[in-house]
């Protein structure tokens, strides 16, 4: 057996090594997430309360009363631990004038509390391994005597937990060891620290055996003046307070700093504690509910702790971080009372000038309603908004309280048209502008498409997870779609009352030439351009059967070279079309070749050129006879003159005698 006195000497060394402090992970703030994700779990916890396994050799097993007494003594005395503290316990000493419990964050889906990086560098923890909630904060605690924690779980360096989640189709696993494994452990579980932390809370055991914690001690306090905006229209609750992000980032680095908690403070001295994920979104963005928004991203919104903030004025926000307490002084902003009243504005046609507005309950008697449509003030008489002429599509209506007591009521309505600007062209398998529709009207329709139904499957055309099926030019993108000649498409566009429905049809390949024969001339009409109508996308190859008679270039331009015939062939893969080219010499014919006129009288030369072209006339002796550009000959004095007629390089002579 090992000497018991020796064991007493080396035991403190062993204990010290077991509680060596590891580095804390970096902070990462909660980001937006997908709610409909699949979660799988793989956890592995090891309890290291005993020094050796059951089958260890005798000298490693405590068998005597002396050794038992030593083990108990090792768990006594003042110590600093890292502990899981429920939100309500964490905030109790930090809040004034607010005794309403700060609930745990309840998640309707399982990935929120368990996804790596979403818990501010593991500054928060969850009890349920399924990830149904975020229970509280993992924070340094000063304990007057470790024996006070005898009923709580001690986490050691040999403990670990592996969490596997599938988020947006990507599965990842993270293993947390030692103190980091507190992220998925029971409330009041603890890890003994080997060094005194610079900030902590002190633990007190109450008469009933429950725990309470002091305010944050040892932390430096820093005051910062910052701009802030309070919104009553938000996707994250009933209120959203956004601190100036640039000024915020200069004080708190969300990549490295831990954020344990945040309180929103009002001028009457009341504080409101915020929780990770439901309230603390992106560091500088904070949100909370007061009973009207009941669900965010599928998760229930708890509002009891925050209801009393309505009507008060926020003057500061306190962040509890590993750098200390940062108090952001914000310009006083009144929290307007949310009514929870919902307004409905009926959709109208583009020929209407007013829209009916209704409420699900009566407005408060002191609510001085002021109506705006797209931020333009409009009148409301007998429940009718005077909207005037509005563009097609969705318009925002805001009903504000002119006195500023109540938060604005916001809703939307749509201006529609009966006109259908698009139609389906089966030959091109795309949408095209309907008859009489301008390019601008067609483009506006394409941009307004909100969803496309393909047989029984509906695809959103905008927003997260959307699929673009109709491109800007009307072309259908059929990627990942199974379509046949019987597939039915139904297109819905915002602002267009009627849907566009058509049956898809695979276009037949076309490859046609604009002409099958053409006559050219060696002079004059020496060129022509052949055009192919096709829906094929491969390059068209042009070829002449007799380049001495006619040639053709890559663009289908044919040039006559000499009298004769040649066949021009256009081909694209297996498709071919031909055109017979006949090349002739030009000709020029005169109806008569001579005439006699008296001095001062005229005669006209009648000429016909093939191919047609400009005919020119020239007199051999203009003193005897002149000729105009139109072939009119005039006698000047007695004698004979010859008129040369020219077209396309062919010349003819007309003789005129003047008497």
């Amino acid at each position: 057996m090992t000497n018991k006195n020796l064991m007493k000497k080396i035991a403190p060394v062993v204990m010290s090594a077991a509680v060596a402090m590891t580095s804390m992970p970096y902070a990462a703030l909660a980001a937006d997430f997908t709610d409909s994700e699949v979660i799988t779990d793989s956890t592995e916890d090891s309890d290291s309360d005993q020094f050796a396994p059951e089958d260890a050799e005798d000298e490693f097993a405590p068998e005597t009363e002396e050794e038992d007494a030593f083990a108990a003594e090792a768990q006594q005395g003042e110590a600093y631990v890292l502990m899981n503290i429920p939100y309500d316990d964490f905030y109790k000493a930090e809040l004034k004038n607010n005794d309403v419990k700060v609930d745990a964050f309840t998640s309707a889906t399982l990935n929120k509390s368990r996804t790596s990086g979403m818990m501010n560098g593991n500054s928060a923890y969850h009890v349920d391994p399924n990830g149904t909630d975020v229970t509280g904060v993992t924070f340094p605690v000063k304990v007057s005597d470790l024996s006070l924690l005898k009923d709580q779980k001690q986490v050691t360096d040999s403990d670990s937990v592996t969490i596997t989640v599938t988020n947006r189709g990507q599965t990842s696993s993270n293993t947390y060891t030692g103190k980091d494994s507190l992220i998925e452990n029971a409330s009041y579980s603890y890890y003994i620290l080997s060094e005194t932390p610079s900030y902590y809370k002190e633990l007190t055991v109450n008469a009933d055996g429950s725990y309470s914690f002091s305010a944050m001690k040892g932390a430096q306090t820093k005051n910062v003046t910052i701009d802030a905006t309070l919104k009553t229209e938000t996707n994250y609750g009933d209120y959203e307070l956004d601190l100036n992000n640039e000024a915020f980032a200069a004080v708190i680095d969300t990549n490295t700093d831990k954020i344990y908690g945040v309180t929103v403070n009002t001028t009457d001295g009341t504080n409101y504690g915020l929780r990770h994920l439901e309230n603390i979104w992106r560091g500088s963005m904070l949100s909370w509910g007061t009973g009207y928004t009941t669900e965010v991203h599928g998760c229930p919104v708890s509002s009891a702790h925050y209801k009393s903030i309505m009507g008060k004025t926020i003057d500061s926000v306190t962040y509890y971080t590993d750098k200390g307490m940062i108090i952001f002084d914000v310009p006083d902003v009144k929290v307007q009372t949310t009514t929870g009243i919902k307004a409905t504005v009926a959709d109208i046609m583009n020929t209407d000038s007013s829209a009916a507005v209704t409420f699900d309950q009566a407005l408060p008697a002191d609510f001085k309603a002021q109506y705006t449509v797209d931020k333009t003030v409009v009148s409301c008489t007998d429940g009718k908004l005077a909207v005037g002429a509005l563009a097609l599509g969705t318009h925002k209506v805001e009903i504000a309280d002119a006195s500023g007591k109540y938060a604005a009521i916001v809703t939307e309505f749509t201006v529609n048209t009966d006109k259908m600007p698009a139609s389906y062209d089966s030959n091109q398998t795309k949408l095209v502008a309907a008859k009489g529709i301008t390019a601008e009207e067609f483009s506006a329709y394409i941009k307004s498409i909100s969803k496309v139904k393909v047989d029984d499957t509906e695809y959103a055309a905008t927003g997260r997870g959307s699929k673009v099926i109709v491109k800007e030019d009307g072309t259908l993108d059929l990627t990942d779609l199974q379509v046949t000649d019987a597939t039915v498409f139904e297109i819905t566009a915002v602002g267009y009352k009627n849907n566009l429905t058509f049956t898809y049809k695979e276009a037949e390949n076309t490859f046609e030439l604009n002409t099958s024969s053409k006559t050219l001339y060696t002079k004059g009409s020496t060129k022509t351009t052949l055009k192919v109508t096709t829906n094929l996308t491969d390059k068209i190859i042009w070829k002449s059967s007799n380049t001495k008679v006619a040639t053709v270039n890559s663009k289908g331009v044919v040039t006559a070279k000499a009298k004769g015939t040649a066949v021009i062939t256009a081909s694209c893969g297996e498709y071919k079309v031909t055109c017979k080219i006949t090349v002739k010499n030009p000709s020029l014919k005169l109806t008569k070749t001579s005439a006699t006129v008296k001095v001062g009288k005229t005669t006209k030369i009648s000429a016909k050129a093939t191919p047609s072209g400009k005919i020119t006339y020239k007199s051999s002796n203009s003193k005897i006879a002149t000729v105009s550009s139109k072939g009119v000959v005039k006698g000047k004095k007695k004698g004979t003159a010859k008129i040369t007629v020219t077209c396309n390089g062919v010349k003819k002579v007309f003789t005129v005698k003047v008497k």
Side-chain angles (χ1 to χ4, degrees):
M1 296 287 290
T2 303
N3 187 290
K4 296 176 182 178
N5 290 329
L6 176 61
M7 284 294 294
K8 291 180 69 176
K9 291 180 181 179
I10 67 171
V13 178
V14 175
M15 177 64 72
S16 176
V19 299
M21 184 176 183
T22 60
S23 60
M24 304 181 87
Y26 66 88
L29 291 178
D32 205 354
F33 40 75
T34 303
D35 297 322
S36 56
E37 302 296 345
V38 179
I39 302 300
T40 58
D41 184 23
S42 173
T43 58
E44 179 183 352
D45 292 308
S46 59
D47 191 350
S48 57
D49 290 339
Q50 296 183 358
F51 182 76
E54 293 181 4
D55 57 353
E57 296 185 58
D58 290 344
E59 58 263 34
F60 290 99
E63 294 180 347
T64 67
E65 292 183 2
E66 185 178 355
E67 287 172 337
D68 288 339
F70 162 71
E73 183 180 359
Q75 294 295 317
Q76 294 179 356
E78 181 180 278
Y80 290 90
V81 301
L82 200 59
M83 178 177 284
N84 285 348
I85 308 174
Y87 278 119
D88 196 48
D89 290 342
F90 177 83
Y91 277 120
K92 258 186 170 54
E94 311 294 349
L95 305 181
K96 295 180 181 178
N97 301 329
N98 191 353
D99 294 328
V100 181
K101 181 179 177 65
V102 183
D103 295 325
F105 164 73
T106 302
S107 173
T109 56
L110 306 183
N111 64 334
K112 293 180 177 62
S113 64
R114 309 176 70 244
T115 299
S116 177
M118 296 183 71
M119 299 314 305
N120 296 35
N122 300 353
S123 61
Y125 71 96
H126 55 277
V127 170
D128 189 340
N130 287 329
T132 56
D133 65 25
V134 180
T135 315
V137 178
T138 303
F139 199 80
V141 173
K142 180 180 180 180
V143 184
S144 61
D145 195 321
L146 275 175
S147 63
L148 298 174
L149 304 181
K150 59 184 176 62
D151 294 330
Q152 307 304 331
K153 178 181 178 180
Q154 179 185 350
V155 172
T156 68
D157 289 332
S158 61
D159 287 317
S160 69
V161 57
T162 298
I163 300 176
T164 300
V165 298
T166 300
N167 191 11
R168 297 180 185 174
Q170 299 295 318
T171 299
S172 61
S173 295
N174 288 281
T175 298
Y176 304 88
T177 60
K179 63 182 178 59
D180 293 340
S181 65
L182 286 168
I183 188 175
E184 190 170 279
N185 258 296
S187 294
Y188 311 117
S189 296
Y190 66 95
Y191 174 93
I192 300 175
L193 298 173
S194 61
E195 296 181 358
T196 302
S198 61
Y199 57 91
Y200 55 89
K201 286 176 174 282
E202 288 186 349
L203 178 143
T204 299
V205 180
N206 302 315
D208 61 358
S210 63
Y211 295 152
S212 60
F213 299 84
S214 70
M216 187 174 181
K217 293 179 177 293
Q220 295 183 345
T221 301
K222 183 176 183 178
N223 286 76
V224 178
T225 300
I226 196 171
D227 288 331
T229 302
L230 182 66
K231 300 177 182 177
T232 56
E233 184 186 358
T234 171
N235 294 326
Y236 305 121
D238 295 318
Y239 299 91
E240 180 180 322
L241 183 66
D242 294 343
L243 306 183
N244 179 279
N245 191 59
E246 184 177 350
F248 179 87
V251 180
I252 297 178
D253 186 343
T254 56
N255 292 315
T256 58
D257 300 337
K258 283 179 178 288
I259 297 178
Y260 294 104
V262 178
T263 63
V264 174
N265 315 309
T266 56
T267 54
D268 68 342
T270 306
N271 313 111
Y272 298 86
L274 306 185
R275 298 149 301 155
H276 303 85
L277 297 187
E278 182 175 324
N279 308 124
I280 307 170
W281 281 90
R282 292 190 176 98
S284 61
M285 296 172 61
L286 310 171
S287 64
W288 60 92
T290 53
Y292 299 105
T293 299
T294 58
E295 182 181 286
V296 171
H297 288 295
C299 299
V301 174
S302 58
S303 56
H305 180 72
Y306 311 100
K307 280 186 176 180
S308 66
I309 199 172
M310 291 190 293
K312 297 183 179 181
T313 299
I314 298 172
D315 63 353
S316 66
V317 181
T318 302
Y319 280 72
Y320 297 83
T321 78
D322 56 353
K323 294 168 64 173
M325 292 174 57
I326 315 296
I327 301 174
F328 289 101
D329 295 315
V330 303
D332 288 0
V333 54
K334 184 176 181 180
V335 182
Q336 294 176 314
T337 300
T338 300
T339 63
I341 296 174
K342 297 185 182 302
T344 301
V345 178
D347 293 343
I348 63 174
M349 301 300 293
N350 59 335
T351 53
D352 298 329
S353 59
S354 64
V357 57
T358 56
F359 300 93
D360 64 346
Q361 55 184 297
L363 293 173
D366 56 346
F367 192 111
K368 298 178 180 179
Q370 184 179 67
Y371 297 83
T372 60
V373 175
D374 300 334
K375 298 185 178 181
T376 299
V377 177
V378 300
S379 61
C380 183
T381 305
D382 298 329
K384 296 280 188 178
L385 294 178
V387 298
L390 293 174
L392 298 178
T394 302
H395 298 272
K396 179 179 177 180
V397 177
E398 185 174 283
I399 307 161
D401 173 25
S403 69
K405 178 179 178 180
Y406 297 100
I409 301 168
V410 179
T411 187
E412 294 179 336
F413 72 102
T414 303
V415 177
N416 296 303
T417 180
D418 282 327
K419 184 185 292 186
M420 174 47 66
S423 62
Y424 176 64
D425 186 333
S426 59
N427 290 325
Q428 301 182 66
T429 60
K430 64 182 293 188
L431 299 191
V432 297
K435 186 177 181 180
I437 296 298
T438 66
E440 291 75 14
E441 290 174 318
F442 177 72
S443 177
Y445 174 79
I446 297 297
K447 292 177 181 178
S448 299
I449 294 175
S450 59
K451 58 186 178 181
V452 177
K453 188 176 181 181
V454 183
D455 283 338
D456 295 327
T457 305
E458 190 170 272
Y459 300 92
T462 60
R464 176 177 292 175
S466 62
K467 180 178 178 62
V468 176
I469 295 176
V470 182
K471 297 182 179 180
E472 289 184 6
D473 65 350
T475 302
L476 300 181
D477 186 346
L478 304 180
T479 305
D480 299 329
L481 297 179
Q482 300 296 323
V483 297
T484 68
D485 283 353
T487 299
V488 176
F489 284 74
E490 183 178 0
I491 297 176
T492 302
V494 178
Y496 298 85
K497 187 175 181 179
N498 302 316
N499 291 346
L500 175 62
T501 303
F502 60 88
T503 301
Y504 177 81
K505 182 180 179 182
E506 187 72 34
E508 296 180 359
N509 290 333
T510 58
F511 195 73
E512 299 175 351
L513 206 54
N514 60 331
T515 182
S516 60
S517 63
K518 188 74 174 178
T519 299
L520 297 178
Y521 295 86
T522 54
K523 290 185 179 180
S525 299
T526 60
K527 293 181 183 292
T528 189
T529 300
L530 300 181
K531 295 181 180 179
V532 172
T533 300
T534 183
N535 59 355
L536 302 176
T537 57
D538 292 340
K539 183 179 178 181
I540 298 175
I541 306 299
W542 297 89
K543 185 177 180 181
S544 171
S545 65
N546 191 341
T547 56
K548 292 182 179 180
V549 173
T551 60
V552 62
N553 67 11
S554 60
K555 295 183 179 180
V557 178
V558 180
T559 303
K561 293 297 184 180
K563 184 179 179 180
T565 60
V567 176
I568 304 299
T569 301
S571 60
C572 184
E574 61 180 324
Y575 294 89
K576 293 183 180 181
V577 287
T578 61
C579 176
K580 181 181 179 182
I581 299 295
T582 301
V583 180
K584 297 180 179 181
N585 291 324
S587 64
L588 180 61
K589 294 181 179 180
L590 303 180
T591 302
K592 58 182 181 178
T593 59
S594 64
T596 301
V597 298
K598 293 182 179 181
V599 174
K601 300 298 181 180
T602 62
T603 186
K604 190 173 188 314
I605 302 173
S606 179
K608 182 179 181 181
T610 304
S612 61
K614 183 178 180 181
I615 300 174
T616 61
Y617 305 87
K618 186 177 181 181
S619 174
S620 63
N621 192 337
S622 58
K623 290 181 179 182
I624 294 175
T626 60
V627 64
S628 70
S629 60
K630 294 183 179 180
V632 178
V633 180
K634 185 176 183 180
K636 303 298 286 183
K637 75 174 184 176
K638 183 180 179 180
T640 300
K642 294 184 182 295
I643 306 300
T644 302
V645 184
T646 305
C647 185
N648 294 324
V650 180
K651 295 181 179 182
K652 295 291 182 179
V653 176
F654 182 88
T655 304
V656 59
K657 284 185 177 184
V658 181
K659 293 184 179 180

